[in-house]
Amino acid sequence: MTDLHVQHIDGYGTVRVRPLDPEGDADLIHAWVSDERAAFWGMNGLTRDRVAEVYAHMDTLDTHHAHLVTVDGGPAALLQTYEPSADRVGECYDVRPGDLGVHLLLAPASPAGARPGWTSALVKAITTYVLLVLDRHRIVIDPDVRNAKAIARFERHGFERGPAVVLPEVDLPDVYLPRKHAQLAFLDRAAAFPG
């Protein structure tokens, strides 16, 4: 897979963003999304093959993309990006030109334990990728309102809370998403990269 973004962060390592391989990465992603800590991701209980099918379907879309983020070659996060106007979130706020939605699932901590600055470095690299490499004006996130840890993490990185909304149910042949009570938050490029 070709890297879409490579960024060295001092004291942390080299972060790479590449397209997710729905079949080749399925074992890894299934392990992550099956873990109880990933309950808000909404894929607990899915089989490995079903997870691969979900990401294979996403791979056919022009509006939704899945990426694997690595640090020094080791898997660090699952990143999904999407066009809000082509997603249910677009029904819940006024989408601006240049908006890009982001979902982020961090890898479990390594056996050695959590590394200070790990999340900050990942968010920095992902923010650079979305706002500068993809040339977007604003990142939109929509974590579950009960996921206080994720909401606080993004606020520490400059995201501003928007409204709490209810994302409607999606029931299509290839995709089912239940209604979701979400907390919208936004990060403008000018705030992330002043000057």
Side-chain angles (χ1 to χ4, degrees), residues 4-63:
L4 302 172
H5 177 61
V6 178
Q7 182 175 351
H8 182 76
I9 298 176
D10 289 338
Y12 180 68
T14 300
V15 179
R16 296 176 186 275
V17 178
R18 68 159 172 83
L20 184 75
D21 177 348
E23 185 57 39
D25 294 325
D27 290 338
L28 173 71
I29 299 306
H30 178 255
W32 290 359
V33 302
S34 298
D35 194 48
E36 184 56 36
R37 70 179 189 83
F40 292 119
W41 197 256
M43 297 179 87
N44 287 143
L46 297 186
T47 66
R48 177 241 185 247
D49 289 344
R50 182 64 186 129
V51 169
E53 288 171 8
V54 167
Y55 286 105
H57 171 71
M58 187 180 291
D59 202 34
T60 68
L61 304 176
D62 293 331
T63 57

Side-chain angles (χ1 to χ4, degrees), residues 9 36 82 85 87 109-111 187 194:
I9 298 176
E36 184 56 36
Y82 62 92
S85 60
D87 189 88
S110 74
L187 179 64

Side-chain angles (χ1 to χ4, degrees), residues 109-166:
S110 74
R115 274 178 66 187
W118 175 266
T119 302
S120 292
L122 278 176
V123 171
K124 177 179 179 180
I126 290 164
T127 300
T128 301
Y129 172 62
V130 172
L131 296 175
L132 300 183
V133 175
L134 297 180
D135 194 26
R136 294 307 186 109
H137 299 290
R138 185 168 70 158
I139 297 174
V140 180
I141 61 168
D142 63 354
D144 189 293
V145 293
R146 298 167 296 170
N147 194 348
K149 187 173 181 179
I151 295 166
R153 177 186 308 125
F154 283 108
E155 285 181 325
R156 283 192 304 273
H157 291 94
F159 283 76
E160 292 187 16
R161 272 189 203 226
V165 298
V166 178

Side-chain angles (χ1 to χ4, degrees), residues 54-132:
V54 167
Y55 286 105
H57 171 71
M58 187 180 291
D59 202 34
T60 68
L61 304 176
D62 293 331
T63 57
H64 293 66
H65 303 283
H67 308 84
L68 185 68
V69 182
T70 63
V71 177
D72 294 336
L78 172 59
L79 169 67
Q80 292 177 195
T81 60
Y82 62 92
E83 297 293 339
S85 60
D87 189 88
R88 64 185 179 163
V89 76
E91 298 176 32
C92 300
Y93 85 101
D94 291 328
V95 178
R96 295 183 192 167
D99 281 357
L100 190 68
V102 166
H103 294 143
L104 180 64
L105 177 64
L106 300 176
S110 74
R115 274 178 66 187
W118 175 266
T119 302
S120 292
L122 278 176
V123 171
K124 177 179 179 180
I126 290 164
T127 300
T128 301
Y129 172 62
V130 172
L131 296 175
L132 300 183

